mmCIF file of all heavy atoms in Angstrom:
data_model
loop_
_atom_site.group_PDB
_atom_site.id
_atom_site.type_symbol
_atom_site.label_atom_id
_atom_site.label_comp_id
_atom_site.label_asym_id
_atom_site.label_seq_id
_atom_site.Cartn_x
_atom_site.Cartn_y
_atom_site.Cartn_z
ATOM 1 N N LYS A 60 -14.760 7.886 5.275
ATOM 2 C CA LYS A 60 -14.933 7.697 6.671
ATOM 3 C C LYS A 60 -15.535 8.997 7.303
ATOM 4 O O LYS A 60 -15.347 10.084 6.755
ATOM 5 C CB LYS A 60 -13.632 7.425 7.397
ATOM 6 C CG LYS A 60 -12.833 6.281 6.852
ATOM 7 C CD LYS A 60 -13.344 5.019 7.500
ATOM 8 C CE LYS A 60 -12.429 3.824 7.006
ATOM 9 N NZ LYS A 60 -13.097 2.544 7.235
ATOM 10 N N THR A 65 -15.045 15.365 19.754
ATOM 11 C CA THR A 65 -15.574 16.153 20.827
ATOM 12 C C THR A 65 -14.571 17.235 21.213
ATOM 13 O O THR A 65 -13.413 17.083 21.038
ATOM 14 C CB THR A 65 -15.877 15.327 22.084
ATOM 15 O OG1 THR A 65 -14.647 14.903 22.667
ATOM 16 C CG2 THR A 65 -16.825 14.152 21.732
ATOM 17 N N LYS A 77 -8.751 19.218 11.843
ATOM 18 C CA LYS A 77 -8.032 19.560 10.616
ATOM 19 C C LYS A 77 -7.315 18.391 10.036
ATOM 20 O O LYS A 77 -7.367 18.133 8.839
ATOM 21 C CB LYS A 77 -7.004 20.655 10.921
ATOM 22 C CG LYS A 77 -7.607 22.063 10.947
ATOM 23 C CD LYS A 77 -6.425 23.062 10.931
ATOM 24 C CE LYS A 77 -6.546 23.927 12.132
ATOM 25 N NZ LYS A 77 -5.331 24.741 12.376
ATOM 26 N N TYR A 80 -9.677 15.821 8.562
ATOM 27 C CA TYR A 80 -10.421 16.386 7.333
ATOM 28 C C TYR A 80 -9.360 16.300 6.213
ATOM 29 O O TYR A 80 -9.763 15.920 5.038
ATOM 30 C CB TYR A 80 -10.818 17.798 7.708
ATOM 31 C CG TYR A 80 -11.391 18.543 6.535
ATOM 32 C CD1 TYR A 80 -12.745 18.370 6.233
ATOM 33 C CD2 TYR A 80 -10.675 19.424 5.775
ATOM 34 C CE1 TYR A 80 -13.324 19.011 5.182
ATOM 35 C CE2 TYR A 80 -11.264 20.128 4.721
ATOM 36 C CZ TYR A 80 -12.542 19.937 4.449
ATOM 37 O OH TYR A 80 -13.152 20.628 3.429
ATOM 38 N N ASN A 167 -13.850 14.304 31.949
ATOM 39 C CA ASN A 167 -12.680 13.588 31.329
ATOM 40 C C ASN A 167 -12.740 12.095 31.275
ATOM 41 O O ASN A 167 -12.064 11.406 30.482
ATOM 42 C CB ASN A 167 -11.408 13.978 32.171
ATOM 43 C CG ASN A 167 -11.101 15.435 32.041
ATOM 44 O OD1 ASN A 167 -11.801 16.194 31.393
ATOM 45 N ND2 ASN A 167 -10.029 15.859 32.672
ATOM 46 N N MET A 260 9.707 23.600 34.330
ATOM 47 C CA MET A 260 9.065 22.460 33.761
ATOM 48 C C MET A 260 9.664 22.228 32.409
ATOM 49 O O MET A 260 10.029 21.088 32.077
ATOM 50 C CB MET A 260 7.574 22.678 33.647
ATOM 51 C CG MET A 260 6.738 21.544 33.245
ATOM 52 S SD MET A 260 6.710 21.349 31.450
ATOM 53 C CE MET A 260 5.803 22.762 30.914
ATOM 54 N N PRO A 265 13.300 16.777 27.705
ATOM 55 C CA PRO A 265 14.490 16.549 26.970
ATOM 56 C C PRO A 265 14.578 17.389 25.706
ATOM 57 O O PRO A 265 15.666 17.935 25.352
ATOM 58 C CB PRO A 265 14.447 15.077 26.683
ATOM 59 C CG PRO A 265 13.755 14.488 27.846
ATOM 60 C CD PRO A 265 12.717 15.513 28.250
ATOM 61 N N LEU A 280 -3.111 10.488 12.979
ATOM 62 C CA LEU A 280 -3.424 9.803 11.821
ATOM 63 C C LEU A 280 -3.035 8.263 11.896
ATOM 64 O O LEU A 280 -3.755 7.429 11.433
ATOM 65 C CB LEU A 280 -2.658 10.350 10.597
ATOM 66 C CG LEU A 280 -3.330 11.490 9.806
ATOM 67 C CD1 LEU A 280 -2.581 11.806 8.657
ATOM 68 C CD2 LEU A 280 -4.734 10.978 9.453
ATOM 69 N N ASP A 305 15.697 12.793 32.781
ATOM 70 C CA ASP A 305 16.750 12.332 33.602
ATOM 71 C C ASP A 305 16.416 12.360 35.098
ATOM 72 O O ASP A 305 15.823 13.331 35.579
ATOM 73 C CB ASP A 305 18.000 13.242 33.381
ATOM 74 C CG ASP A 305 19.241 12.679 33.930
ATOM 75 O OD1 ASP A 305 19.209 11.607 34.473
ATOM 76 O OD2 ASP A 305 20.285 13.356 33.810
#
Side-chain angles (χ1 to χ4, degrees):
K60 305 275 185 198
T65 69
K77 279 193 235 166
Y80 180 81
N167 296 1
M260 186 279 292
L280 268 186
D305 191 2

